[in-house]
Amino acid sequence: MAKDNSKQLLFKSKLTINKRASLPKIQSGDKIDYKNIRLLIRFISQQGKIIPRRVSKVTFKQQRLITIAIKKARILALLPFKNNENLFKLKRAQIAYEKKYLQDLKKKRKEKKDRKIREQNKSKEQKKVQSKVQNKSKEQKKVQSKVQNKSKEQKKVQSKVQ
């Protein structure tokens, strides 16, 4: 039994490997390029190392392109070779701010579009009401003209009778 305990101490548990399993996948619109720092930061660990393919769950081709892009970005000083915690936090905060800004912008655009649609619907309803009022007034005019015609005919008839 003592041997079994000693063997268990030497083995790593497999649960610790799956720490970053919830990484966002690369979307179809994302371009893997050294200029796309927002994408590359997602594949760099806290220590500044490139996250392996088995952890990030990307294809072999994507991992190769990401690695090449990260290396180019490091050479061009867009990314640090060794990760500076403050810089890393700053970049993450900047990305979060940009995401929030874009979401707010989308909300504002949607609200503006909805408001415009509501105004258009309101103006359409007002036009319908106006056309109904106009139709009623036209009908009233027709009725009045008919009444006038009848009164004229009655006067003619009365004048003939006299």
Side-chain angles (χ1 to χ4, degrees):
M1 289 202 157
K3 290 180 181 178
D4 292 335
N5 289 338
S6 63
K7 285 182 180 179
Q8 288 178 354
L9 295 174
L10 295 175
F11 289 116
K12 280 188 174 178
S13 90
K14 293 183 179 180
L15 297 174
T16 58
I17 294 173
N18 204 5
K19 284 181 184 174
R20 288 183 76 134
S22 63
L23 274 176
K25 295 183 179 178
I26 298 176
Q27 297 172 351
S28 61
D30 289 339
K31 186 176 181 182
I32 301 174
D33 192 16
Y34 68 93
K35 299 173 198 169
N36 193 354
I37 303 299
R38 186 180 307 151
L39 175 72
L40 298 179
I41 284 178
R42 295 191 316 206
F43 296 97
I44 297 177
S45 69
Q46 294 288 337
Q47 294 84 22
K49 296 179 181 179
I50 299 172
I51 296 174
R53 184 176 150 237
R54 63 183 162 78
V55 176
S56 61
K57 296 185 178 178
V58 293
T59 63
F60 179 76
K61 187 175 182 180
Q62 287 174 337
Q63 182 69 24
R64 190 174 57 225
L65 292 172
I66 288 168
T67 304
I68 292 168
I70 289 173
K71 289 178 181 179
K72 279 184 183 178
R74 284 175 174 168
I75 290 170
L76 294 172
L78 298 173
L79 287 174
F81 281 93
K82 280 190 174 179
N83 195 17
N84 182 357
E85 283 296 319
N86 295 332
L87 179 67
F88 196 76
K89 288 178 182 177
L90 182 69
K91 293 263 185 183
R92 293 268 182 180
Q94 183 181 5
I95 290 170
Y97 175 76
E98 287 174 358
K99 276 185 178 179
K100 186 177 179 184
Y101 174 76
L102 289 174
Q103 287 174 348
D104 291 343
L105 189 64
K106 284 181 183 179
K107 275 185 180 178
K108 286 179 183 178
R109 286 181 181 167
K110 187 177 179 183
E111 288 173 0
K112 188 176 179 181
K113 187 177 178 181
D114 291 344
R115 192 177 323 119
K116 192 174 183 180
I117 289 172
R118 274 188 258 126
E119 288 174 0
Q120 287 175 349
N121 290 340
K122 192 174 182 180
S123 66
K124 285 179 182 179
E125 289 174 11
Q126 288 176 348
K127 287 180 182 178
K128 285 181 183 179
V129 169
Q130 287 176 353
S131 66
K132 285 180 181 179
V133 168
Q134 287 176 354
N135 288 339
K136 285 183 179 181
S137 65
K138 286 180 182 178
E139 289 175 7
Q140 287 175 352
K141 287 180 182 179
K142 286 180 182 179
V143 169
Q144 286 177 356
S145 66
K146 286 181 182 179
V147 167
Q148 287 175 356
N149 288 340
K150 284 183 179 181
S151 65
K152 285 181 183 179
E153 288 176 11
Q154 287 176 355
K155 285 182 183 178
K156 284 182 183 179
V157 169
Q158 284 178 0
S159 65
K160 288 182 180 178
V161 171
Q162 292 174 355

